[in-house]
Amino acid sequence: MNEPVPLIVGFKGTQLDEETKAHLLEINPMGVIFFKRNLAEPEQIRSLVAEVKRLLGPILVAVDHEGGMVNRFSPELATPPAPFALNFTGPQEQKQATQMLAALPAHFGFNLNLAPVLDLFDADSEAINIRAFSRDPEEVGRWGSMIVEAHEEVGLGSCGKHFPGHGRVRTDTHNRAGVADFTAEELQAKDLLPYRRMALPAVMTSHLIYPAFDAQNPASLSKAVITDLLKGQMGFKGLVLSDCVEMEAISASFGPEEIVAKGKEAGLDLWISSYSIKADLGFQKALADAMRAQGLAGKNPKVRDFLMDYPGRKPQLFRLDEAVALRRETIQRGGVKPAPPWELAVVSSKAFNGINRDEPEEGFRYWMKMGLGELVPNSLELSLDDLDSAEEYFKEVRQSGRSLLLATQAARRHPNWEKFMQLIENMKSVLHLDLGEGADIIGSIEGKWNCFGSDRLTVQAICRELKVGLATGVPDSAKP
């Protein structure tokens, strides 16, 4: 087998077919990363993780698991809510969430989890948004330290991201290049502060350009950011990983040879090729060939030390009802809950449907119906592109006297949002369920809940909260 190269690669499927096995053996990566496409029921996860380890030996077995919208595991397994939602809870709930986050990867034999997100929250961010814990860098640092500690307790390595800070920039580098046009002083005082508050075993770099440090190169390929700032000024000694180099912010401008050459010069320890964007084995092979040609193949003492430091322990998994209860704690409830039965109307801008959006298997409406049964006799999706139909629908609801559950997710991003709000000014008995970060503000609606997610566990929490105090008669079989 070839000498190992400093790649962490993704692959397709829930099992290793012969093509994938041959590919992995030919490349001999130092790590493999798993996504939702690879992870099904518990026994399958255990089997696949073990098979990868048998095939390649002692390697990094990674997962990109943050909780909330970035959940790589089945909804039958307990995961915590979005980090931003937990910002509204207390220390006890936050501690439970960090332990819940670490438990799943550790339980199934992973040794590296690409969390915590140390970016600062901004409602306009396409890439980060509720993946971030807070606007306050001190609070983000405190939260990140809790996550690292929870991972350490189960022998699992963690990774802070996206250095030197992605949250305050709207651009999603999965889709295009972007610039973090802040001064060095502002970056030091805000975005970099969480990294100075904790001892991280690994750091993942951002693909944004930071002109305050390097006006030419994205951070993942910048010597000024990785070697001079992170390793030099900040004294970081752990592993430095790139974000996935298949992302457009990198791969649209650089070929595999240049990605490797510039990353090597910058001081990267590991490059990630997730297979989530290009789905191209040839691209991964070209990266590996470039690494061998540029003298990067062979044993890596930093990876060896990481594997020794994080042997992993198998903790008990949390129960699903604990995960749902934690989500109920995060729901921010305001106004009066209208009486059932409820019409359910769902509106979305489709703004967050990229690589980090793991859609519920059957969709939000389906699970709301399963959870509320006859309490929601009708449901539909409203298009902000078709305001005439929306107006007609609201008219029918008003005339019927029925109550309305209006669920939105980043709908304010649509150019018709202001006109849409005007259509519901005369609506009565409405409860607005904001499934995003709480920024979809509808001034004429008194009742508003900030729910911070549309995954199946969050839907269960919403349904249980809606039914509080109701003699619903909903049979147990209809409960989520």
Side-chain angles (χ1 to χ4, degrees):
M1 190 160 60
N2 289 324
E3 285 192 302
V5 293
L7 261 180
I8 298 178
V9 299
F11 59 98
K12 64 182 179 181
T14 55
Q15 57 185 350
L16 297 183
D17 59 25
E18 292 306 313
E19 179 188 28
T20 303
K21 287 181 184 178
H23 175 71
L24 291 175
L25 288 170
E26 181 180 12
I27 288 180
N28 195 12
M30 292 183 185
V32 171
I33 183 167
F34 291 67
F35 289 88
K36 197 163 192 172
R37 63 177 180 266
N38 307 121
L39 305 174
E41 47 83 25
E43 189 52 45
Q44 177 272 332
I45 298 172
R46 278 190 283 268
S47 176
L48 184 59
V49 169
E51 185 177 9
V52 167
K53 290 178 177 179
R54 284 195 302 271
L55 183 72
L56 297 174
I59 62 165
L60 297 168
V61 185
V63 65
D64 189 17
H65 180 58
E66 303 168 9
M69 66 185 289
V70 185
N71 167 32
R72 307 310 187 188
F73 294 92
S74 161
E76 305 303 328
L77 297 167
T79 59
F84 187 63
L86 290 157
N87 186 34
F88 297 93
T89 63
Q92 182 176 347
E93 291 83 9
Q94 292 167 11
K95 180 68 172 177
Q96 182 187 25
T98 63
Q99 294 171 333
M100 192 179 292
L101 182 70
L104 268 178
H107 182 86
F108 290 112
F110 292 90
N111 50 38
L112 172 61
N113 185 20
L114 302 182
V117 171
L118 298 180
D119 300 316
L120 305 184
F121 172 79
D122 190 303
D124 287 329
S125 172
E126 295 177 1
I128 307 300
N129 202 267
I130 61 173
R131 297 168 64 194
F133 181 73
S134 173
R135 292 180 176 87
D136 183 345
E138 292 282 0
E139 284 296 291
V140 172
R142 181 183 65 82
W143 166 250
S145 295
M146 291 174 65
I147 290 182
V148 172
E149 180 182 346
H151 283 64
E152 298 276 347
E153 288 173 356
V154 294
L156 176 64
S158 54
C159 177
K161 61 188 184 184
H162 305 80
F163 187 87
H166 197 318
R168 295 189 298 131
V169 177
R170 181 171 182 175
T171 304
D172 187 344
T173 51
H174 289 93
N175 306 318
R176 62 189 187 279
V179 177
D181 199 9
F182 309 117
T183 66
E185 292 75 19
E186 186 177 4
L187 287 163
Q188 289 285 357
K190 294 182 178 180
D191 305 81
L192 290 172
L193 191 147
Y195 292 91
R196 297 198 297 269
R197 291 290 188 265
M198 67 190 76
L200 287 160
V203 162
M204 175 188 286
T205 55
S206 162
H207 288 337
L208 293 169
I209 293 174
Y210 298 79
F213 303 130
D214 184 341
Q216 304 299 319
N217 299 297
S220 290
L221 304 179
S222 170
K223 182 176 182 291
V225 171
I226 296 176
T227 295
D228 299 343
L229 175 62
L230 179 60
K231 295 183 177 181
Q233 295 178 32
M234 299 178 70
F236 182 69
K237 304 297 183 185
L239 287 172
V240 181
L241 288 65
S242 76
D243 206 341
C244 176
V245 297
E246 298 176 21
M247 292 159 63
E248 285 294 303
I250 296 293
S251 64
S253 300
F254 308 101
E257 295 81 4
E258 196 171 10
I259 290 171
V260 171
K262 292 180 77 68
K264 176 183 178 182
E265 180 184 8
L268 275 178
D269 296 310
L270 291 160
W271 290 248
I272 296 178
S273 178
S274 69
Y275 197 79
S276 299
I277 301 169
K278 288 186 174 296
D280 182 0
L281 298 181
F283 180 80
Q284 293 181 345
K285 185 176 184 305
L287 289 169
D289 290 344
M291 288 173 175
R292 291 197 166 86
Q294 296 179 36
L296 288 170
K299 295 181 179 179
N300 186 318
K302 291 180 74 172
V303 172
R304 178 202 62 204
D305 292 346
F306 185 96
L307 293 173
M308 292 179 64
D309 290 340
Y310 298 101
R313 289 181 286 281
K314 188 176 179 179
Q316 288 292 111
L317 295 180
F318 283 76
R319 301 189 311 273
L320 273 178
D321 63 338
E322 294 176 290
V324 175
L326 193 53
R327 281 164 169 77
R328 286 182 71 178
E329 289 293 322
T330 68
I331 295 174
Q332 304 295 296
R333 296 168 292 278
V336 178
K337 178 172 62 180
W342 299 297
E343 291 275 328
L344 172 64
V346 182
V347 181
S348 174
S349 71
K350 309 297 184 186
F352 297 104
N353 286 344
I355 183 176
N356 283 316
R357 167 61 68 189
D358 286 325
E359 294 290 348
E361 294 171 1
E362 300 288 348
F364 175 80
R365 286 172 57 204
Y366 175 86
W367 290 111
M368 285 288 285
K369 177 64 179 174
M370 290 293 292
L372 296 174
E374 66 266 25
L375 295 176
V376 178
N378 300 302
S379 71
L380 81 164
E381 292 200 22
L382 291 177
S383 170
L384 290 174
D385 293 324
D386 186 0
L387 294 181
D388 290 340
S389 295
E391 183 174 20
E392 184 64 27
Y393 171 72
F394 289 139
K395 181 180 178 181
E396 291 177 9
V397 174
R398 281 197 304 270
Q399 291 174 344
S400 72
R402 294 190 297 270
S403 300
L404 177 66
L405 302 178
L406 180 64
T408 71
Q409 189 152 337
R412 73 189 187 285
R413 294 182 180 277
H414 196 283
N416 284 339
W417 177 241
E418 296 289 337
K419 294 179 180 178
F420 179 82
M421 286 197 293
Q422 293 173 12
L423 295 180
I424 57 177
E425 283 184 349
N426 298 321
M427 294 291 294
K428 300 183 184 300
S429 300
V430 180
L431 178 62
H432 177 202
L433 304 175
D434 190 333
L435 307 178
E437 71 295 307
D440 283 353
I441 307 233
I442 306 176
S444 60
I445 295 180
E446 181 181 341
K448 175 170 180 176
W449 291 4
N450 295 335
C451 304
F452 308 110
S454 58
D455 60 278
R456 197 192 304 184
L457 296 182
T458 299
V459 172
Q460 290 187 41
I462 293 169
C463 292
R464 292 184 187 183
E465 196 61 29
L466 282 169
K467 291 190 291 187
V468 168
L470 299 178
T472 64
V474 177
D476 288 342
S477 60
K479 294 179 182 179

